[in-house]
Amino acid sequence: MSQVASLLIALPLISAFFVPVLKRIKQSLIMPYLILITLIQTGIAGWVFYEVYTTGKPIIIMAGGWRPPVGINLYIGPFAALFVLIIAVVSFITAVFSVKAVKVEPIDKYAMLFLLLMLGATGMIATGDIFNLFVFMEITAITAYALTAYNKTGEAAEASMKYIVLGGIGSSFFLIGVALLYGATGTLNMAHLAELSTSINPIVAQVGLALVIFGLAVEAELFPLNAWAPDAYQAAPHPITVMFSAFVVKAGLYAMARILYLLQKANGWSSVLRLVLIMATLTVIFAELSALRQRDVKRMIAYSSIGQIGLIALAFSLGTQAGVDAGVFHMLNHAIVKAMMFLGVGYVGITLGGTELEKFEGLGKRMPLTALALTIGAVSTVGVPLFNVFWSKFRIIVATLQAGFIWPAILVLFASMVEAVYYFRLVHTMWFSGSGERVKEGWIVIFLLLLAVLVVAIGIYPTPAWEIVKRAGSDIFAVANYVKNVPLMGVIQ
Amino acid sequence: MISSYYFGAIALVLIGLYAVLVKKNLLKILIGLSIMETGVNLLLISIGYVSGRSAPILSEGIGPNQAVDPIPQALVLTAIVIGVATTAMALSVAIILYEKYGTLNIEEIRRLRG
């Protein structure tokens, strides 16, 4: 029965192949088809989530019936179940949003790439094999390149080209890292790799791990490698921006945390951890300071998103259980808040024809509900109590201090202040300046308000979400459990 | 003594990286990316090489003990296809860039900034 969960990968793949067939039949069927498939995916993901959290056992799928490490296995533990659900729900929302937002260009190719992006991110989260992770990462990356360039303007092509060049370097480095780890251990399976990690030569482990982290940092938008991100966010179609921010980045971050903690017994591990810590802190500082001087709201929120990603990476690089839990909690909150923000900004962009700050003047009078959602998102991102991001930011800061890193905590708090400045400038522009006619808001507002309710609900009752997140966090941190759950061939349990 | 395969593979990666970092022409950068991918593939293959053994195809006279490691070959097969797909994607984007900007010099392709 649990093999049904492999449909999470199979369904988007098969349905992506049916899009060209459907186009021959009737062009107007493509968008409803996309919505239907993402809805089914949400159903499967919801079932998987329910199954994993009620039984407490991860779903393990062995491809072709070969036991790992010979075959490839998918490992859908608490973390993967949670994030597969988030991916599916966000995809559904963006599919509905795409009906309104994407009209100008060939829609069939858009639908195909959309489904493949969802497939790639799901696979990255679910896989239990590092080369398979590379393949899914490339599926995600190549569809992301194509979707960034989708608008066919000069800016979109420029952003996509930056992404392709950086992504190409990153994937090459990742592959070299995989080659080194394979050469040292002779295995590609994550659980088997964790078992063998004590015996790796420390230099090989350090260099291999650093190269893998470096490669994944392109997808995860960490500091020296994130120059493509704001451009891509600005130039990509609005629904795709939502997907980038809500889960494509998360998949990269998760892969990074997973591989990092798999090798925690290897010699020289802590120096790699320190590298990630420095990169993460720099990401937060640079992103928030760059956001301060943006005139384009979409670009500003893109920088803010990168800053939050830096916070998550900081939490993952502490090397403690508390840090990992807080990081996963922030991933969840950030997915909700940033999906809402980019949805709102994108909606304003297609209704008023642009996302410059001037377009947002008097938005409180013209589109009050959208402005309300954006305000809740802004206030929440800054970290005001009674909103969800406050709890996760608070836990990250506490975990950082507990781990003994005073300076990163101070710098991150300083960055939060900078964040408050530009977000309150946006809120001020929306409510207290300009004027205008009331513009009719469509049904997309329903999703915005639902997400806003979720933001406030988690803010007021964080405990249920925190319980879920703690189980997902221990899925990453407690590698011994992870290894025990994977039925390795020839290993006595 | 480092095997010449490893040396050559890493040298190819570094040459590719040099081209990406230093060259101004977009097509030269893409050529650099391709060279880098080739170097990585060569490194992967040479990791699976066992001196004196033959290709991992089971046939008359060649048993499992006389073959090189077959896994890196599967990996490289996948990585080559991915590399070609990325290059094709990048070249089509380069065509759009040339149509819109009229140049392939990366110092003149700067409309997004800030």
Side-chain angles (χ1 to χ4, degrees), chain A residues 127-472:
Chain A
T127 188
D129 181 285
I130 46 173
F131 189 75
N132 198 227
L133 175 68
F134 169 76
V135 173
F136 278 124
M137 185 177 97
E138 287 299 295
I139 293 176
T140 318
I142 294 175
T143 47
Y145 305 152
L147 283 169
T148 307
Y150 185 75
N151 280 341
K152 280 192 185 161
T153 58
E155 284 86 353
E158 184 188 336
S160 176
M161 185 51 88
K162 284 179 190 167
Y163 191 5
I164 292 174
V165 171
L166 270 173
I169 298 174
S171 66
S172 292
F173 278 15
F174 184 84
L175 205 51
I176 298 174
V178 169
L180 289 181
L181 291 177
Y182 176 73
T185 59
T187 185
L188 291 166
N189 187 279
M190 289 183 182
H192 201 199
L193 193 66
E195 281 200 324
L196 297 175
S197 64
T198 43
S199 60
I200 309 178
N201 177 338
I203 297 172
V204 176
Q206 258 173 340
V207 175
L209 197 53
L211 283 169
V212 165
I213 299 289
F214 198 74
L216 283 169
V218 177
E219 289 298 308
E221 301 171 5
L222 291 188
F223 166 57
L225 303 160
N226 59 7
W228 62 270
D231 294 345
Y233 281 84
Q234 191 184 347
H238 298 302
I240 298 308
T241 322
V242 178
M243 295 174 82
F244 277 0
S245 168
F247 63 72
V248 174
V249 189
K250 304 291 186 320
L253 267 176
Y254 159 75
M256 200 160 154
R258 172 65 92 198
I259 294 180
L260 202 58
Y261 283 97
L262 279 178
L263 295 174
Q264 59 183 307
K265 295 227 177 66
N267 289 317
W269 179 67
S270 56
S271 53
V272 179
L273 214 56
R274 198 57 53 86
L275 170 83
V276 182
L277 180 82
I278 294 169
M279 281 163 80
T281 315
L282 288 176
T283 309
V284 180
I285 301 289
F286 277 86
E288 300 294 10
L289 286 178
S290 314
L292 193 57
R293 57 188 178 85
Q294 297 305 324
R295 303 301 300 167
D296 187 299
V297 175
K298 204 175 171 197
R299 196 177 174 87
M300 186 182 95
I301 296 177
Y303 271 116
S304 157
S305 174
I306 296 169
Q308 305 293 321
I309 295 297
L311 263 179
I312 299 171
L314 173 70
F316 281 145
S317 69
L318 297 174
T320 60
Q321 177 76 63
V324 175
D325 289 351
V328 178
F329 196 18
H330 203 62
M331 275 168 104
L332 170 69
N333 287 337
H334 177 263
I336 299 170
V337 170
K338 278 294 178 311
M340 185 170 80
M341 294 295 274
F342 278 114
L343 212 58
V345 171
Y347 187 56
V348 173
I350 55 172
T351 319
L352 306 180
T355 54
E356 297 83 19
L357 196 58
E358 295 80 50
K359 293 276 194 312
F360 282 73
E361 276 175 12
L363 196 73
K365 299 184 189 77
R366 303 174 75 184
M367 301 165 75
L369 292 174
T370 313
L372 178 70
L374 283 176
T375 310
I376 291 176
V379 173
S380 175
T381 314
V382 173
V384 172
L386 293 182
F387 291 95
N388 60 357
V389 175
F390 167 74
W391 298 106
S392 49
K393 255 191 186 174
F394 179 69
R395 283 188 194 277
I396 288 175
I397 304 281
V398 169
T400 313
L401 290 174
Q402 273 172 352
F405 298 111
I406 309 293
W407 271 107
I410 293 173
L411 289 171
V412 163
L413 276 175
F414 166 70
S416 283
M417 269 159 54
V418 176
E419 193 167 45
V421 173
Y422 65 80
Y423 267 122
F424 287 129
R425 188 177 67 197
L426 172 67
V427 171
H428 184 268
T429 313
M430 283 195 304
W431 294 100
F432 301 111
S433 70
S435 58
E437 293 289 298
R438 179 76 189 261
V439 179
K440 197 169 163 291
E441 291 166 288
W443 30 258
I444 198 75
V445 172
I446 300 167
F447 287 117
L448 279 174
L449 291 180
L450 278 177
L451 286 169
V453 167
L454 204 57
V455 167
V456 178
I458 295 180
I460 296 173
Y461 300 108
T463 322
W466 175 243
E467 290 301 323
I468 290 174
V469 159
K470 265 206 300 205
R471 290 177 64 180

Side-chain angles (χ1 to χ4, degrees), chain B residues 11-52:
Chain B
L12 276 180
V13 172
L14 292 179
I15 292 168
L17 195 60
Y18 171 81
V20 173
L21 296 177
V22 174
K23 295 294 174 193
K24 302 284 181 239
N25 187 315
L26 194 53
L27 291 180
K28 288 185 181 166
I29 290 178
L30 296 183
I31 291 171
L33 270 185
S34 275
I35 293 176
M36 227 175 132
E37 274 153 12
T38 313
V40 176
N41 292 338
L42 190 59
L43 177 73
L44 263 174
I45 277 293
S46 45
I47 276 177
Y49 180 63
V50 185
S51 180

Side-chain angles (χ1 to χ4, degrees), chain A residues 7-93:
Chain A
L7 277 177
L8 285 172
I9 309 265
L11 176 76
L13 191 59
I14 295 168
S15 36
F17 282 120
F18 272 101
V19 171
V21 179
L22 202 67
K23 190 204 167 200
R24 284 295 177 86
I25 301 169
K26 203 158 191 271
Q27 181 97 16
S28 63
L29 282 176
I30 288 174
M31 272 306 175
Y33 175 76
L34 186 62
I35 295 170
L36 178 71
I37 297 296
T38 47
L39 193 62
I40 298 173
Q41 176 89 351
T42 311
I44 300 170
W47 178 79
V48 167
F49 180 79
Y50 176 78
E51 191 76 6
V52 168
Y53 275 84
T54 47
T55 60
K57 282 213 172 100
I59 297 175
I60 308 223
I61 296 157
M62 287 171 269
W66 293 92
R67 288 175 68 180
V70 173
I72 291 171
N73 68 312
L74 299 184
Y75 179 93
I76 305 183
F79 184 93
L82 177 63
F83 270 83
V84 162
L85 183 63
I86 291 178
I87 291 172
V89 171
V90 172
S91 300
F92 172 65
I93 294 174

